């Protein structure tokens, strides 16, 4: 029976996986420069973590989670996002007790949501994310946005924009909540059943509805900005001032809400403006989540973070026709003449790898001409030839495929000669 890949998942094949590795490496280096340390959390967690952390009225929790009972009937869920897991680890490992705050953490790994697969949205997807937990400071919010932007910029993206908003503090959101209920209630029967349920439980989620996003009442809904307390408005103003000073351009959008309940105060998205990108333009989303750590049993520890999809990042690179500088060169190809030299060609191949060269040999028992064709097709810099006669004399032939020159040397001088020739090639 032929078994196919599950719907909503993809195989990342050779030729494509190198792009992923390159993107991940660039992100890791940027995080390290900003003193963020990597954290690796489990792929599955207790379901309660996401119910409490993400919000039990969000689409993620009500519709999209992969939830199962383990052998002891405990409810487990494949993580749909990374922040709740990082906040749980922050509490569990008492990172709030560290002298240096905020705790600056980054992660990279698969997330899982049961959604309708489409371009830029899969059921298993990979996110790179960062969290700074333990401090409420407008400078940290601005740094977080600049950090996310720097990953895209270092990879060469130009057609992107930063969009920001504030969801305010608890008082702001309660006042906004009442205004939203009054706005939607007379016509709530025109909305989907989910939105009708959300009206009393969490009306903010109506603004994020995928079914009724084009309803005119959503466009005319009360703006959270009009309900910000003086403290919230001042914080939002300070965040914008920091962005202005560090020269990070942004667009304000008072209608932008994120799909997770833990957000408050600063929220932001980075979007692609490339014409070839597609309908889903959001590349990255993030914001402040003061209160999440307390919800998970920890002390008051304000946090801010973001997550970006590698799939959408690669799609944005393709839309802007950016080619990543991925090196896939072959330094050494070892050619064997005669079956008797097979162990020696393997030995020479392994010795080159141990010395730091990329090296390969033939495994298909090809004739010498076929082996040279393979070396040429793989763009090998050097071809090392060993035959039975050379073996008897303790010699090998090294051919520089760039210049076409070759020389016969003692096998004992093999690695030293390769290193010398490589150095000469780099300095010429």
């Amino acid at each position: 029976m032929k078994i196919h890949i599950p719907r909503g998942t993809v195989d990342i094949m050779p030729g494509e996986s190198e792009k992923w590795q390159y993107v991940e490496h660039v992100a890791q280096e940027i995080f390290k420069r900003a003193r963020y340390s990597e954290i690796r959390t489990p792929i599955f967690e207790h379901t309660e973590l996401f119910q409490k952390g993400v919000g039990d009225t969000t689409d993620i929790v009500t519709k999209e989670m992969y939830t199962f009972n383990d052998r002891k009937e405990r409810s487990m869920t494949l993580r749909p996002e990374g922040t709740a897991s990082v906040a749980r680890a922050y509490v569990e490992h008492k990172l709030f007790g560290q002298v240096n705050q905020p705790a600056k953490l980054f992660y990279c790994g698969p997330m899982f949501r049961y959604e309708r697969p489409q371009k830029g949205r899969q059921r298993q997807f990979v996110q790179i994310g960062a969290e700074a937990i333990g401090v409420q400071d407008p400078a940290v919010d601005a740094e977080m946005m600049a950090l996310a932007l720097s990953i895209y910029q270092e990879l060469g993206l130009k057609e992107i924009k930063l969009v920001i908003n504030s969801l305010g503090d608890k008082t702001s959101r309660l006042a906004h909540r009442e205004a939203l209920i009054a706005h939607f209630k007379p016509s709530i029967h025109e909305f989907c059943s989910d939105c009708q349920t959300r009206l009393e439980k969490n009306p903010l989620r109506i603004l994020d509805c995928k079914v009724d996003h084009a309803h005119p009442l959503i466009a005319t809904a009360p703006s959270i900005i009009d309900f910000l307390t003086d403290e919230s408005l001042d914080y939002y103003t300070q965040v914008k001032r920091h962005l202005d000073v560090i020269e990070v351009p942004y667009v304000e959008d008072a209608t932008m809400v994120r799909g997770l309940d833990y957000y408050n105060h600063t929220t932001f998205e980075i979007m692609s403006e490339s014409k070839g990108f597609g309908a889903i333009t959001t590349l990255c989303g993030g914001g402040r989540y003061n209160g999440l750590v307390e919800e998970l049993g920890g002390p008051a520890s304000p946090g801010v973070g973001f997550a970006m999809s590698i799939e959408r990042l690669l799609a944005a690179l393709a839309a802007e026709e950016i080619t990543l500088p991925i090196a896939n060169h072959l330094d050494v190809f070892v050619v064997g003449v005669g079956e008797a030299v097979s162990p020696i060609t393997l030995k020479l191949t392994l010795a080159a790898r141990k010395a730091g060269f990329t090296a390969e040999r033939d495994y298909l028992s090809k004739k010498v001409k076929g082996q040279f064709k393979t070396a040429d097709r793989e763009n090998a810099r050097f071809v090392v030839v060993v035959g039975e006669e050379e073996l008897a004399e303790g010699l090998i032939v090294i051919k520089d495929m760039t210049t076409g020159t070759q020389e016969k040397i003692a096998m004992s001088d093999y690695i030293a000669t390769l290193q010398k020739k490589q150095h000469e090639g780099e300095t010429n």
Side-chain angles (χ1 to χ4, degrees), residues 5-6 8-12 20 122 124 311:
I5 190 171
T9 64
V10 295
D11 293 313
I12 302 167
W20 287 67
Q122 298 292 332
Q124 176 178 318
E311 290 89 344

Side-chain angles (χ1 to χ4, degrees), residues 94-196:
K94 297 180 172 62
L95 298 187
F96 48 80
Q98 292 181 346
V99 174
N100 293 329
Q101 295 289 325
K104 299 169 82 173
L105 306 165
F106 78 88
Y107 60 86
C108 177
M111 309 293 164
F112 306 84
R113 297 183 193 176
Y114 190 87
E115 298 185 277
R116 183 174 64 84
Q118 55 184 294
K119 184 180 178 181
R121 181 171 285 157
Q122 298 292 332
R123 290 175 177 173
Q124 176 178 318
F125 54 97
V126 178
Q127 285 187 339
I128 296 172
E131 316 290 349
I133 308 176
V135 169
Q136 177 168 321
D137 184 335
V140 180
D141 299 42
E143 177 187 286
M144 190 63 73
M145 288 181 257
L147 186 66
L149 280 169
S150 66
I151 295 175
Y152 296 114
Q153 291 164 345
E154 192 146 331
L155 289 167
L157 287 174
K158 292 182 172 58
E159 296 177 33
I160 55 176
K161 68 176 179 180
L162 171 66
V163 182
I164 66 171
N165 190 24
S166 174
L167 296 180
D169 55 16
K170 187 174 181 180
T171 301
S172 307
R173 293 195 307 280
L174 284 174
H176 186 225
R177 178 183 185 278
E178 295 305 314
L180 288 173
I181 291 174
H183 177 74
F184 287 116
K185 195 168 186 176
S187 304
I188 195 62
H189 61 279
E190 299 175 7
F191 288 76
C192 69
S193 58
D194 288 333
C195 283
Q196 293 178 31

Side-chain angles (χ1 to χ4, degrees), residues 337 385-397 408 411:
V337 184
V385 184
V386 56
E388 294 177 2
E389 291 183 10
E390 289 87 358
L391 181 60
E393 299 174 5
L395 301 173
I396 59 173
V397 175
K408 189 175 287 189
M411 195 175 295

Side-chain angles (χ1 to χ4, degrees), residues 324-339:
L324 298 177
I326 297 170
N328 190 27
H329 63 277
L330 177 62
D331 296 319
V332 180
F333 191 91
V334 182
V335 172
V337 184
E339 294 181 5

